[in-house]
Amino acid sequence: MRAFPVRLPSGQRYWTVLEEDLAVFAVADGFLRQVRFGRDGAESTTKSYANSIALFLRWCARTGCTWEAGAEQLGLFMTWLGHAGRAASGIDALPGAVVLAGPGSPPARSAQRINGVLTAVRGMVVHAAAAGQASGHLVPLLYELADDRDLPEAARGERDRMAWRMRARHRVHEPEAFPARASDADIVAVLGACRSARDRLIVLLMARAGLRRGELLGLRRSDVHLLADSRALGCEVARAHVHVVRRDANPNGAVAKSRRQRAVPLDFLTVQAFDGYEFERMRVPQAAGCDFVFVNLFRGQAGAPMRLDAVNDLVAAASRRAGIVPVLRPHQMRHAFASNVLDAGGALDETQELLGHASISATQVYAHPDPARLRAAVDAVPSPRELAGVTS
């Protein structure tokens, strides 16, 4: 079993699962097409799901059970995921390959990865049951009825009554970990190490506006509104901002993650960086006819839209020049933006809107206070001597 990309005559792509004889595994294919076209999901989502389902189906084949029987024993599958390394679980694993990791050894997969695989498998099983391809008795084996008391307050129902939901029965505990963020000092150092106005603008849009790689490389020139009043352009959003719009057919593969459009305000520093980049871009005649904001200026096909990996390369190169070890990743700058907004007193729902998160629970991971704020909070508590009016 293996994941495989499919391109339709319309040009749209999704990933499916092939059996050993290269026939499409119909149950998985129906679910993955539903994710891609029925739910309007991203191609990358089907790729992740297809790889997870292929892993599950390989386990079923190597343990001699059908996929329905395997769905009834997800606990055993979880154990296998945790201990079966690539030599035992990969596509090219030899028959009879042994489980390499055991008690006391590092797990073969992280808790996050295991939970991600289980999510894909549960989705396939539920879709198959709904489509009549599997027995409905499998669904209650995967989910249990649970109340909403463990959910964040913003995600709960009405306060005067308890709400109920379906909760997955199989899940590995994921240790709480705050997302890695770039420090303000590192961001300043990377900006100083950038060798072009274009690269500085890219860093600022990630660190000062929270844009993802796919969002900033998908920007068209018509998405950028730098005027104090854009009503003449047919836009009611005040002051400088960019519109993040999802477009699936970008030739550079840049796709905004969220399908909901949003307008992201820009500060004066970022607006100035746009001005500097425009002068730099004007010196490349081939860029004049390209509607994309960010284009190749120094290497590759001049004037063509930048590719996603170019952002990683420029951030890594600037990090090395600045002496930052380990080198920064683009997403760490988005994390820094989110944390800085919250540290500055921004509300959770405001940060959610700026980041383009569909769920507020995705934003809550950034809500951990800066250590300096924690220290200031403790220092602000009056001491017992002060409360008693005792002076030294």
Side-chain angles (χ1 to χ4, degrees), residues 196-235:
S196 70
R198 183 199 64 184
D199 293 357
R200 284 191 291 274
L201 176 57
I202 288 174
V203 171
L204 285 171
L205 283 171
M206 292 187 291
R208 303 289 294 178
L211 298 193
R212 302 178 177 95
R213 289 185 316 160
E215 293 172 343
L216 67 91
L217 291 193
L219 285 175
R220 306 297 178 90
R221 305 186 79 175
S222 57
D223 297 332
V224 180
H225 295 171
L226 303 181
L227 300 175
D229 186 344
S230 297
R231 283 178 292 184
L233 305 175
C235 176

Side-chain angles (χ1 to χ4, degrees), residues 14-299:
Y14 77 101
W15 285 68
T16 190
V17 177
L18 301 183
E19 300 185 64
E20 295 300 329
D21 60 358
L22 301 185
V24 172
F25 185 72
V27 174
D29 187 68
F31 166 63
L32 293 166
R33 283 188 285 110
Q34 169 65 14
V35 170
R36 182 71 174 101
F37 307 113
R39 300 181 195 169
D40 202 21
E43 178 192 343
S44 58
T45 301
T46 64
K47 180 179 181 180
S48 175
Y49 281 7
N51 279 294
S52 297
I53 292 170
L55 191 59
F56 169 69
L57 295 174
R58 287 201 294 273
W59 172 75
C60 293
R62 292 168 189 177
T63 54
C65 66
T66 65
W67 72 266
E68 296 97 327
E72 295 176 342
Q73 306 176 62
L74 280 193
L76 295 177
F77 177 53
M78 292 169 64
T79 302
W80 185 80
L81 286 175
H83 298 291
R86 180 175 295 276
S89 62
I91 297 173
D92 301 322
L94 298 174
V98 297
V99 173
L100 300 181
S105 301
R109 294 174 180 84
S110 68
Q112 183 180 23
R113 172 59 178 152
I114 292 174
N115 287 331
V117 171
L118 294 175
T119 296
V121 173
R122 283 193 295 263
M124 182 189 71
V125 173
V126 171
H127 181 270
Q133 297 172 307
S135 171
H137 84 279
L138 293 175
V139 177
L141 295 179
L142 303 182
Y143 292 94
E144 62 183 349
L145 197 63
D147 59 54
D148 65 352
R149 285 177 293 185
D150 63 326
L151 294 178
E153 184 175 350
R156 296 178 194 166
E158 298 179 12
R159 290 173 180 259
D160 58 345
R161 67 177 183 178
M162 185 181 296
W164 298 88
R165 75 188 199 280
M166 300 296 289
R167 183 171 65 190
R169 290 184 181 275
H170 304 87
R171 184 172 180 82
V172 179
H173 172 70
E174 296 183 33
E176 184 176 7
F178 297 128
R181 57 156 293 177
S183 70
D184 293 341
D186 284 346
I187 292 173
V188 171
V190 166
L191 282 170
C194 287
R195 291 181 171 173
S196 70
R198 183 199 64 184
D199 293 357
R200 284 191 291 274
L201 176 57
I202 288 174
V203 171
L204 285 171
L205 283 171
M206 292 187 291
R208 303 289 294 178
L211 298 193
R212 302 178 177 95
R213 289 185 316 160
E215 293 172 343
L216 67 91
L217 291 193
L219 285 175
R220 306 297 178 90
R221 305 186 79 175
S222 57
D223 297 332
V224 180
H225 295 171
L226 303 181
L227 300 175
D229 186 344
S230 297
R231 283 178 292 184
L233 305 175
C235 176
E236 297 297 324
V237 180
R239 302 176 60 184
H241 61 278
V242 294
H243 291 272
V244 176
V245 182
R246 177 168 176 136
R247 300 179 178 94
D248 290 322
N250 287 334
N252 60 350
V255 180
K257 186 174 182 180
S258 174
R259 295 196 175 272
R260 186 170 61 87
Q261 296 186 24
R262 73 184 193 276
V264 182
L266 302 177
D267 62 4
F268 182 67
L269 187 64
T270 309
V271 172
Q272 280 188 315
F274 264 107
D275 291 340
Y277 170 51
E278 187 61 28
F279 285 112
E280 186 175 77
R281 176 181 166 133
M282 289 169 59
R283 293 197 290 268
V284 179
Q286 299 93 323
C290 184
D291 187 43
F292 282 79
V293 172
F294 293 105
V295 297
N296 295 332
L297 300 180
F298 314 108
R299 58 180 63 90

